[in-house]
Amino acid sequence: MIALDFSTADETKQFLSQFSNDRLYVKLGMELYYQNGPEIVKWVKSLGHDIFLDLKLHDIPNTVYRAMKGLAALDIDMINVHAAGGSEMMKAAKEGIIDGTQAGSTVPKLIAVTQLTSTTELAMQTEQLIPVSLMDSVINYAKTTHQSGLDGVVCSAWEASAIKSATSRDFLCVTPGIRPAGASLGDQQRVATPDKAREMGSSYIVVGRPITQADNPVEAYHTINRQWNGA
């Protein structure tokens, strides 16, 4: 998945115009959605690309249910919530996404964020006051997500194998924090290369700046895609 971390529709359109021969899986996040609204989702979908709408909903169950019901109408392919919202919130999100999907259409995959890949164990323990290891926290969130009926989690590639062992081999592990060897880490902490992510059990990798800020984004995308596919 390519993370379309842009602010404007014009930037997004200029970037995607370079990929006229590719059907992509793209991630639209808060920055793009909050500043451009549902229309940007509809436009990207009109190009034939798959969409992971990365809004990380986190609120009381009824609010999340209603929000998910509305977002399902955008014909997205995947969306997420924060696992920290709890099992009742996640179950409400699942109900909302099902109720909002048009008859005959595929229900979008629903996943939950465990711990952000920018979070360190020290920060988690001192700021969130979670007195266990980062891995234990991630596994606990993943098990709660699985038990709530969701399709998977957002996690670090380094946690994917343990999560699948604790849940199911079919449980999705969507992993940001992917950097080709030698690339800048930026604000990410728990990072992995594309081939290492594959080896550790990632279901999908999410790549932003190494593609969007590359001199040749199309070439960078295909290079990372080959590494992800073991070529």
Side-chain angles (χ1 to χ4, degrees), residues 205-218:
I205 57 173
V206 181
V207 185
R209 284 164 283 189
I211 296 174
T212 60
Q213 296 182 12
D215 292 335
N216 187 329
V218 176

Side-chain angles (χ1 to χ4, degrees), residues 69 72-73 75 96-108:
K69 187 175 180 180
D75 193 28
I97 206 80
I98 291 172
D99 290 350
T101 301
Q102 295 183 350
S105 297
T106 301
V107 176

Side-chain angles (χ1 to χ4, degrees), residues 3 22 29 31 42 59 64 70 81 86 99 140 148 151 158 185 187 196 221:
D22 295 289
E31 181 181 9
K42 295 175 183 178
D59 213 313
V64 170
V81 297
D99 290 350
N140 179 61
S148 299
D151 300 294
W158 296 92
L185 301 186
D187 55 358
K196 189 65 176 178
Y221 166 73

Side-chain angles (χ1 to χ4, degrees), residues 48-188:
H49 302 312
D50 292 332
I51 295 174
F52 167 26
L53 189 56
D54 179 24
L55 297 184
K56 303 181 180 73
L57 274 66
H58 187 175
D59 213 313
I60 62 173
N62 186 59
T63 297
V64 170
Y65 168 84
R66 292 178 180 275
M68 279 294 179
K69 187 175 180 180
L71 291 167
L74 295 176
D75 193 28
I76 52 177
D77 301 276
M78 183 181 290
I79 193 167
N80 60 355
V81 297
H82 265 293
S87 59
E88 292 305 311
M89 186 207 73
M90 287 192 278
K91 291 175 184 176
K94 185 71 173 182
E95 292 174 8
I97 206 80
I98 291 172
D99 290 350
T101 301
Q102 295 183 350
S105 297
T106 301
V107 176
K109 298 293 185 184
L110 179 60
I111 62 177
V113 177
T114 54
Q115 290 285 354
L116 298 173
T117 49
S118 59
T119 300
T120 64
E121 184 165 282
L122 177 61
M124 181 197 74
Q125 292 174 345
T126 58
E127 297 173 11
Q128 300 178 30
L129 295 182
I130 296 178
V132 298
S133 70
L134 186 65
M135 179 66 82
D136 285 344
S137 174
V138 168
I139 295 299
N140 179 61
Y141 277 138
K143 290 169 68 175
T144 303
T145 301
H146 184 249
Q147 292 162 3
S148 299
L150 275 63
D151 300 294
V153 291
V154 180
C155 63
S156 163
W158 296 92
E159 297 141 5
S161 179
I163 286 172
K164 288 180 179 287
S165 295
T167 55
S168 163
R169 298 306 301 174
D170 297 327
F171 196 60
L172 300 178
C173 289
V174 178
T175 59
I178 303 299
R179 294 289 186 271
S184 170
L185 301 186
D187 55 358
Q188 300 281 13

